[in-house]
Amino acid sequence: MSGVVLGAVAYDPKVVTIWSGFRAWLRRHDLPLDFVLYAHYERQAEDLVAGRIDTAWHSPLAWLRTGRLAQAAGVRVRPLVMRDTDRDLSSVVVVRQDGEIRAVADLKGEAVAVGAVDSPQATLLPLHHLRGLGLEPGRDFEVRRHDTGVGLHGDHTGGERDAARALMAGEVAAACMIDGNHLLFGQEGTLPPGTTRLLTRTAPYDHCVLAAGPSLDPELGERLTALLLSISAADAEVRHLMDLEGLTQWLPGRDSGYGALAAAVEETGFYDADGHVTAADYRP
């Protein structure tokens, strides 16, 4: 029986440590696994659907594109597992505590800082949220993008951090980011405690997912899923890997938490119906 080939995007050097560790653990449990590193998610999604890899550790945007590519190719993809920290997240629009913005309507005519063009959490989702509240990006307010780590789908937090800095520098009226990074930026001093407040928050959404492609052997897929779900954070052998990957438990993958992002992709024309990249200014 052949092994599993997994794809992962190298958004940070720790990715090598994480998947080397999980590879060793899975092999000790009689599941042969190798991994391939990618520079960006677009090629990873294409290779998963084409069967050049069996599974992929996907961003939410990559998962949506994979579904479109798979439908166009007439093949099946499915979610296997996700982290407990991938479920029911939210993004926030943050303003200065000492500023004049008190309601979402006050953003009209102002500049709003976002992350990279392909960031679900700091660009696509919060702009979709503001659109739903009656403000059209680019018409009712200026969008100031911070295109750090384009192609990494927001995994590189540099764009969000730059947006936060623009807010502190008084260059914009508001900044968009995932709620966890708002807390992180407060702890590290990018957004000093007490200097900002939340203007509005998106509805909950899901984030990354381990996706199975058409080439994954069903039996191996079941074994891989069962082994990952069996991992305990109390296991000293893998606890450091869990910490690096930012989870305490693997959970079954689900496809129900991507509705808002799918709507944002439709609104912006980020991908076409067949999964081709059609977003303006986005070429990873």
Side-chain angles (χ1 to χ4, degrees):
M1 186 181 296
S2 60
V4 176
V5 178
L6 178 144
V9 170
Y11 67 91
D12 186 277
K14 70 179 181 179
V15 171
V16 176
T17 302
I18 291 167
W19 289 111
S20 293
F22 279 124
R23 174 181 182 269
W25 186 87
L26 289 165
R27 290 173 72 89
R28 283 195 292 274
H29 288 77
D30 299 320
L31 180 68
L33 181 134
D34 281 317
F35 64 90
V36 179
L37 296 180
Y38 288 84
H40 58 79
Y41 279 105
E42 306 309 333
R43 186 177 297 277
Q44 178 171 285
E46 293 165 5
D47 282 2
L48 181 65
V49 172
R52 288 185 281 270
I53 55 176
D54 304 312
T55 64
W57 184 235
H58 262 351
S59 75
L61 190 59
W63 171 240
L64 290 184
R65 186 183 183 211
T66 294
R68 293 183 179 215
L69 290 170
Q71 185 173 12
V75 299
R76 179 173 177 255
V77 295
R78 65 190 189 282
L80 293 179
V81 298
M82 61 202 320
R83 302 169 298 187
D84 55 344
T85 49
D86 282 313
R87 292 189 173 189
D88 300 320
L89 306 180
S90 64
S91 292
V92 293
V93 181
V94 179
V95 298
R96 290 178 62 112
Q97 185 69 262
D98 59 1
E100 297 179 356
I101 304 298
R102 297 297 166 187
V104 169
D106 296 336
L107 292 176
K108 194 164 186 177
E110 300 287 349
V112 175
V114 300
V117 61
D118 59 334
S119 173
Q121 64 221 31
T123 304
L124 293 167
L125 283 163
L127 292 182
H128 168 70
H129 177 66
L130 290 174
R131 189 179 288 112
L133 295 177
L135 291 181
E136 181 64 30
R139 185 192 68 193
D140 295 322
F141 61 90
E142 178 189 354
V143 177
R144 297 268 185 92
R145 272 196 349 235
H146 295 80
D147 283 334
T148 302
V150 173
L152 302 180
H153 291 187
D155 285 351
H156 190 295
T157 60
E160 286 176 71
R161 189 174 281 108
D162 288 343
R165 288 171 176 154
L167 177 65
M168 285 292 95
E171 299 169 3
V172 295
C176 302
M177 61 200 72
I178 198 168
D179 54 357
N181 278 341
H182 183 235
L183 295 174
L184 171 65
F185 298 159
Q187 293 167 355
E188 69 184 20
T190 301
L191 297 175
T195 61
T196 64
R197 58 185 176 81
L198 303 187
L199 183 67
T200 185
R201 179 187 296 271
T202 70
Y205 58 83
D206 286 354
H207 209 258
C208 295
V209 63
L210 183 63
S215 65
L216 181 63
D217 178 278
E219 182 180 343
L220 286 177
E222 290 180 9
R223 281 182 45 74
L224 174 62
T225 300
L227 282 170
L228 290 176
L229 293 177
S230 74
I231 295 177
S232 169
D235 184 347
E237 184 181 4
V238 291
R239 184 167 55 242
H240 69 293
L241 302 175
M242 307 278 272
D243 291 342
L244 283 174
E245 188 53 45
L247 75 154
T248 59
Q249 182 183 9
W250 290 103
L251 296 176
R254 64 184 187 183
D255 196 26
S256 59
Y258 302 97
L261 184 57
V265 167
E266 283 293 326
E267 290 167 349
T268 59
F270 201 92
Y271 300 127
D272 69 13
D274 294 332
H276 300 117
V277 176
T278 49
D281 303 324
Y282 177 54
R283 296 297 180 268

PDB file of all heavy atoms in Angstrom, residues 8 16 39 62 74 76 102-103 110 138-139 141 177 186 230 232 234 239 252 258 261 271 277 282:
ATOM      1  N   ALA A   8       1.841  21.448   1.794  1.00  0.00           N
ATOM      2  CA  ALA A   8       1.731  22.516   2.790  1.00  0.00           C
ATOM      3  C   ALA A   8       2.457  23.742   2.260  1.00  0.00           C
ATOM      4  O   ALA A   8       3.483  23.621   1.590  1.00  0.00           O
ATOM      5  CB  ALA A   8       2.328  22.091   4.131  1.00  0.00           C
ATOM      6  N   VAL A  16       8.220  23.506   8.328  1.00  0.00           N
ATOM      7  CA  VAL A  16       9.070  22.321   8.151  1.00  0.00           C
ATOM      8  C   VAL A  16       9.109  21.502   9.441  1.00  0.00           C
ATOM      9  O   VAL A  16       8.976  20.282   9.429  1.00  0.00           O
ATOM     10  CB  VAL A  16      10.487  22.731   7.729  1.00  0.00           C
ATOM     11  CG1 VAL A  16      11.399  21.511   7.638  1.00  0.00           C
ATOM     12  CG2 VAL A  16      10.450  23.457   6.390  1.00  0.00           C
ATOM     13  N   ALA A  39       5.248  27.441  -2.413  1.00  0.00           N
ATOM     14  CA  ALA A  39       5.480  28.863  -2.153  1.00  0.00           C
ATOM     15  C   ALA A  39       4.179  29.634  -2.022  1.00  0.00           C
ATOM     16  O   ALA A  39       4.159  30.718  -1.442  1.00  0.00           O
ATOM     17  CB  ALA A  39       6.328  29.475  -3.272  1.00  0.00           C
ATOM     18  N   ALA A  62      -8.070  28.751  -0.293  1.00  0.00           N
ATOM     19  CA  ALA A  62      -7.610  27.629  -1.112  1.00  0.00           C
ATOM     20  C   ALA A  62      -8.644  26.510  -1.137  1.00  0.00           C
ATOM     21  O   ALA A  62      -8.825  25.839  -2.161  1.00  0.00           O
ATOM     22  CB  ALA A  62      -6.275  27.114  -0.582  1.00  0.00           C
ATOM     23  N   GLY A  74     -14.555  17.488 -12.618  1.00  0.00           N
ATOM     24  CA  GLY A  74     -15.375  16.303 -12.406  1.00  0.00           C
ATOM     25  C   GLY A  74     -14.788  15.320 -11.425  1.00  0.00           C
ATOM     26  O   GLY A  74     -14.992  14.099 -11.554  1.00  0.00           O
ATOM     27  N   ARG A  76     -13.715  14.552  -7.027  1.00  0.00           N
ATOM     28  CA  ARG A  76     -14.244  14.798  -5.682  1.00  0.00           C
ATOM     29  C   ARG A  76     -13.127  15.202  -4.737  1.00  0.00           C
ATOM     30  O   ARG A  76     -12.061  14.586  -4.725  1.00  0.00           O
ATOM     31  CB  ARG A  76     -14.942  13.544  -5.156  1.00  0.00           C
ATOM     32  CG  ARG A  76     -15.516  13.696  -3.743  1.00  0.00           C
ATOM     33  CD  ARG A  76     -16.341  12.483  -3.346  1.00  0.00           C
ATOM     34  NE  ARG A  76     -16.823  12.589  -1.982  1.00  0.00           N
ATOM     35  CZ  ARG A  76     -16.331  11.902  -0.948  1.00  0.00           C
ATOM     36  NH1 ARG A  76     -15.339  11.035  -1.148  1.00  0.00           N
ATOM     37  NH2 ARG A  76     -16.830  12.049   0.268  1.00  0.00           N
ATOM     38  N   ARG A 102     -17.465  56.595  15.526  1.00  0.00           N
ATOM     39  CA  ARG A 102     -18.286  55.982  16.568  1.00  0.00           C
ATOM     40  C   ARG A 102     -19.220  54.914  16.027  1.00  0.00           C
ATOM     41  O   ARG A 102     -19.684  54.052  16.771  1.00  0.00           O
ATOM     42  CB  ARG A 102     -19.111  57.064  17.274  1.00  0.00           C
ATOM     43  CG  ARG A 102     -18.278  58.093  18.000  1.00  0.00           C
ATOM     44  CD  ARG A 102     -17.480  57.444  19.114  1.00  0.00           C
ATOM     45  NE  ARG A 102     -16.421  58.313  19.624  1.00  0.00           N
ATOM     46  CZ  ARG A 102     -15.503  57.920  20.495  1.00  0.00           C
ATOM     47  NH1 ARG A 102     -15.512  56.678  20.944  1.00  0.00           N
ATOM     48  NH2 ARG A 102     -14.565  58.752  20.898  1.00  0.00           N
ATOM     49  N   ALA A 103     -19.515  54.956  14.737  1.00  0.00           N
ATOM     50  CA  ALA A 103     -20.424  53.988  14.119  1.00  0.00           C
ATOM     51  C   ALA A 103     -19.878  53.646  12.742  1.00  0.00           C
ATOM     52  O   ALA A 103     -19.076  54.388  12.172  1.00  0.00           O
ATOM     53  CB  ALA A 103     -21.831  54.580  14.003  1.00  0.00           C
ATOM     54  N   GLU A 110     -13.870  57.889   4.472  1.00  0.00           N
ATOM     55  CA  GLU A 110     -12.610  57.685   5.176  1.00  0.00           C
ATOM     56  C   GLU A 110     -11.772  56.608   4.471  1.00  0.00           C
ATOM     57  O   GLU A 110     -12.193  56.015   3.487  1.00  0.00           O
ATOM     58  CB  GLU A 110     -12.869  57.264   6.626  1.00  0.00           C
ATOM     59  CG  GLU A 110     -13.667  58.272   7.431  1.00  0.00           C
ATOM     60  CD  GLU A 110     -12.856  59.513   7.786  1.00  0.00           C
ATOM     61  OE1 GLU A 110     -11.615  59.513   7.583  1.00  0.00           O
ATOM     62  OE2 GLU A 110     -13.451  60.495   8.265  1.00  0.00           O
ATOM     63  N   GLY A 138     -14.330  51.025  -1.841  1.00  0.00           N
ATOM     64  CA  GLY A 138     -13.890  51.690  -3.045  1.00  0.00           C
ATOM     65  C   GLY A 138     -14.823  52.787  -3.533  1.00  0.00           C
ATOM     66  O   GLY A 138     -14.436  53.602  -4.372  1.00  0.00           O
ATOM     67  N   ARG A 139     -16.027  52.794  -3.006  1.00  0.00           N
ATOM     68  CA  ARG A 139     -16.980  53.849  -3.364  1.00  0.00           C
ATOM     69  C   ARG A 139     -17.308  54.713  -2.147  1.00  0.00           C
ATOM     70  O   ARG A 139     -17.167  55.934  -2.192  1.00  0.00           O
ATOM     71  CB  ARG A 139     -18.279  53.252  -3.914  1.00  0.00           C
ATOM     72  CG  ARG A 139     -19.298  54.283  -4.418  1.00  0.00           C
ATOM     73  CD  ARG A 139     -20.651  53.643  -4.666  1.00  0.00           C
ATOM     74  NE  ARG A 139     -21.284  53.216  -3.416  1.00  0.00           N
ATOM     75  CZ  ARG A 139     -22.351  52.419  -3.359  1.00  0.00           C
ATOM     76  NH1 ARG A 139     -22.880  51.924  -4.460  1.00  0.00           N
ATOM     77  NH2 ARG A 139     -22.868  52.091  -2.176  1.00  0.00           N
ATOM     78  N   PHE A 141     -15.839  54.246   0.890  1.00  0.00           N
ATOM     79  CA  PHE A 141     -14.607  54.488   1.639  1.00  0.00           C
ATOM     80  C   PHE A 141     -13.428  53.959   0.829  1.00  0.00           C
ATOM     81  O   PHE A 141     -13.579  53.067  -0.015  1.00  0.00           O
ATOM     82  CB  PHE A 141     -14.640  53.843   3.034  1.00  0.00           C
ATOM     83  CG  PHE A 141     -14.798  52.337   3.025  1.00  0.00           C
ATOM     84  CD1 PHE A 141     -13.686  51.499   2.993  1.00  0.00           C
ATOM     85  CD2 PHE A 141     -16.059  51.749   3.058  1.00  0.00           C
ATOM     86  CE1 PHE A 141     -13.824  50.122   2.998  1.00  0.00           C
ATOM     87  CE2 PHE A 141     -16.217  50.371   3.062  1.00  0.00           C
ATOM     88  CZ  PHE A 141     -15.094  49.554   3.031  1.00  0.00           C
ATOM     89  N   MET A 177      -8.670  43.100  10.792  1.00  0.00           N
ATOM     90  CA  MET A 177      -7.790  42.002  11.202  1.00  0.00           C
ATOM     91  C   MET A 177      -8.623  40.903  11.848  1.00  0.00           C
ATOM     92  O   MET A 177      -9.767  41.123  12.250  1.00  0.00           O
ATOM     93  CB  MET A 177      -6.726  42.500  12.180  1.00  0.00           C
ATOM     94  CG  MET A 177      -7.285  43.090  13.470  1.00  0.00           C
ATOM     95  SD  MET A 177      -6.108  44.171  14.330  1.00  0.00           S
ATOM     96  CE  MET A 177      -6.091  45.597  13.248  1.00  0.00           C
ATOM     97  N   GLY A 186      -2.021  43.766  20.574  1.00  0.00           N
ATOM     98  CA  GLY A 186      -2.058  44.461  21.847  1.00  0.00           C
ATOM     99  C   GLY A 186      -0.973  43.971  22.784  1.00  0.00           C
ATOM    100  O   GLY A 186      -0.307  44.767  23.463  1.00  0.00           O
ATOM    101  N   SER A 230      -6.990  11.125  17.022  1.00  0.00           N
ATOM    102  CA  SER A 230      -6.623  10.424  18.269  1.00  0.00           C
ATOM    103  C   SER A 230      -5.532  11.137  19.052  1.00  0.00           C
ATOM    104  O   SER A 230      -5.285  10.812  20.216  1.00  0.00           O
ATOM    105  CB  SER A 230      -6.152   9.006  17.943  1.00  0.00           C
ATOM    106  OG  SER A 230      -4.837   9.010  17.367  1.00  0.00           O
ATOM    107  N   SER A 232      -3.581  13.479  21.394  1.00  0.00           N
ATOM    108  CA  SER A 232      -3.910  14.247  22.594  1.00  0.00           C
ATOM    109  C   SER A 232      -2.824  15.274  22.865  1.00  0.00           C
ATOM    110  O   SER A 232      -1.623  14.988  22.728  1.00  0.00           O
ATOM    111  CB  SER A 232      -4.038  13.307  23.799  1.00  0.00           C
ATOM    112  OG  SER A 232      -4.101  14.045  25.005  1.00  0.00           O
ATOM    113  N   ALA A 234      -1.944  16.093  25.591  1.00  0.00           N
ATOM    114  CA  ALA A 234      -1.215  15.624  26.762  1.00  0.00           C
ATOM    115  C   ALA A 234      -0.045  14.725  26.384  1.00  0.00           C
ATOM    116  O   ALA A 234       0.789  14.387  27.229  1.00  0.00           O
ATOM    117  CB  ALA A 234      -2.162  14.866  27.693  1.00  0.00           C
ATOM    118  N   ARG A 239       3.163  17.300  21.699  1.00  0.00           N
ATOM    119  CA  ARG A 239       2.605  18.536  22.262  1.00  0.00           C
ATOM    120  C   ARG A 239       3.261  19.778  21.661  1.00  0.00           C
ATOM    121  O   ARG A 239       2.584  20.774  21.374  1.00  0.00           O
ATOM    122  CB  ARG A 239       2.745  18.551  23.776  1.00  0.00           C
ATOM    123  CG  ARG A 239       2.087  19.773  24.431  1.00  0.00           C
ATOM    124  CD  ARG A 239       1.958  19.616  25.932  1.00  0.00           C
ATOM    125  NE  ARG A 239       3.238  19.332  26.556  1.00  0.00           N
ATOM    126  CZ  ARG A 239       3.502  18.201  27.223  1.00  0.00           C
ATOM    127  NH1 ARG A 239       2.574  17.260  27.310  1.00  0.00           N
ATOM    128  NH2 ARG A 239       4.683  18.005  27.786  1.00  0.00           N
ATOM    129  N   PRO A 252     -13.015  16.780  13.313  1.00  0.00           N
ATOM    130  CA  PRO A 252     -13.438  16.428  11.954  1.00  0.00           C
ATOM    131  C   PRO A 252     -13.604  17.673  11.095  1.00  0.00           C
ATOM    132  O   PRO A 252     -14.105  18.705  11.552  1.00  0.00           O
ATOM    133  CB  PRO A 252     -14.780  15.719  12.179  1.00  0.00           C
ATOM    134  CG  PRO A 252     -14.709  15.189  13.576  1.00  0.00           C
ATOM    135  CD  PRO A 252     -13.916  16.209  14.341  1.00  0.00           C
ATOM    136  N   TYR A 258     -17.867  28.313   5.520  1.00  0.00           N
ATOM    137  CA  TYR A 258     -17.211  29.106   4.479  1.00  0.00           C
ATOM    138  C   TYR A 258     -18.193  29.907   3.629  1.00  0.00           C
ATOM    139  O   TYR A 258     -17.831  30.437   2.577  1.00  0.00           O
ATOM    140  CB  TYR A 258     -16.377  28.186   3.580  1.00  0.00           C
ATOM    141  CG  TYR A 258     -15.338  27.408   4.356  1.00  0.00           C
ATOM    142  CD1 TYR A 258     -15.581  26.091   4.763  1.00  0.00           C
ATOM    143  CD2 TYR A 258     -14.137  27.991   4.722  1.00  0.00           C
ATOM    144  CE1 TYR A 258     -14.645  25.377   5.489  1.00  0.00           C
ATOM    145  CE2 TYR A 258     -13.191  27.294   5.457  1.00  0.00           C
ATOM    146  CZ  TYR A 258     -13.450  25.977   5.837  1.00  0.00           C
ATOM    147  OH  TYR A 258     -12.518  25.285   6.573  1.00  0.00           O
ATOM    148  N   LEU A 261     -17.212  33.684   3.134  1.00  0.00           N
ATOM    149  CA  LEU A 261     -16.058  33.834   2.252  1.00  0.00           C
ATOM    150  C   LEU A 261     -16.441  33.522   0.810  1.00  0.00           C
ATOM    151  O   LEU A 261     -15.987  34.201  -0.117  1.00  0.00           O
ATOM    152  CB  LEU A 261     -14.922  32.927   2.712  1.00  0.00           C
ATOM    153  CG  LEU A 261     -13.616  33.053   1.922  1.00  0.00           C
ATOM    154  CD1 LEU A 261     -13.099  34.486   1.945  1.00  0.00           C
ATOM    155  CD2 LEU A 261     -12.566  32.093   2.467  1.00  0.00           C
ATOM    156  N   TYR A 271     -12.188  34.430  -7.905  1.00  0.00           N
ATOM    157  CA  TYR A 271     -12.042  33.275  -8.789  1.00  0.00           C
ATOM    158  C   TYR A 271     -13.274  33.207  -9.681  1.00  0.00           C
ATOM    159  O   TYR A 271     -14.362  33.625  -9.271  1.00  0.00           O
ATOM    160  CB  TYR A 271     -11.944  31.965  -8.005  1.00  0.00           C
ATOM    161  CG  TYR A 271     -10.782  31.875  -7.048  1.00  0.00           C
ATOM    162  CD1 TYR A 271     -10.991  31.547  -5.701  1.00  0.00           C
ATOM    163  CD2 TYR A 271      -9.474  32.074  -7.471  1.00  0.00           C
ATOM    164  CE1 TYR A 271      -9.932  31.434  -4.822  1.00  0.00           C
ATOM    165  CE2 TYR A 271      -8.409  31.976  -6.590  1.00  0.00           C
ATOM    166  CZ  TYR A 271      -8.642  31.655  -5.265  1.00  0.00           C
ATOM    167  OH  TYR A 271      -7.593  31.551  -4.391  1.00  0.00           O
ATOM    168  N   VAL A 277      -7.949  32.094 -11.398  1.00  0.00           N
ATOM    169  CA  VAL A 277      -7.690  33.337 -10.673  1.00  0.00           C
ATOM    170  C   VAL A 277      -8.078  34.505 -11.579  1.00  0.00           C
ATOM    171  O   VAL A 277      -7.521  34.686 -12.661  1.00  0.00           O
ATOM    172  CB  VAL A 277      -6.216  33.449 -10.282  1.00  0.00           C
ATOM    173  CG1 VAL A 277      -5.940  34.799  -9.607  1.00  0.00           C
ATOM    174  CG2 VAL A 277      -5.819  32.307  -9.342  1.00  0.00           C
ATOM    175  N   TYR A 282      -3.835  40.381  -8.534  1.00  0.00           N
ATOM    176  CA  TYR A 282      -3.431  39.215  -7.736  1.00  0.00           C
ATOM    177  C   TYR A 282      -2.750  38.196  -8.636  1.00  0.00           C
ATOM    178  O   TYR A 282      -3.410  37.471  -9.378  1.00  0.00           O
ATOM    179  CB  TYR A 282      -4.639  38.579  -7.049  1.00  0.00           C
ATOM    180  CG  TYR A 282      -4.277  37.318  -6.276  1.00  0.00           C
ATOM    181  CD1 TYR A 282      -3.265  37.326  -5.317  1.00  0.00           C
ATOM    182  CD2 TYR A 282      -4.942  36.117  -6.508  1.00  0.00           C
ATOM    183  CE1 TYR A 282      -2.925  36.190  -4.613  1.00  0.00           C
ATOM    184  CE2 TYR A 282      -4.606  34.969  -5.812  1.00  0.00           C
ATOM    185  CZ  TYR A 282      -3.606  35.002  -4.862  1.00  0.00           C
ATOM    186  OH  TYR A 282      -3.254  33.879  -4.163  1.00  0.00           O
TER     187      TYR A 282
END
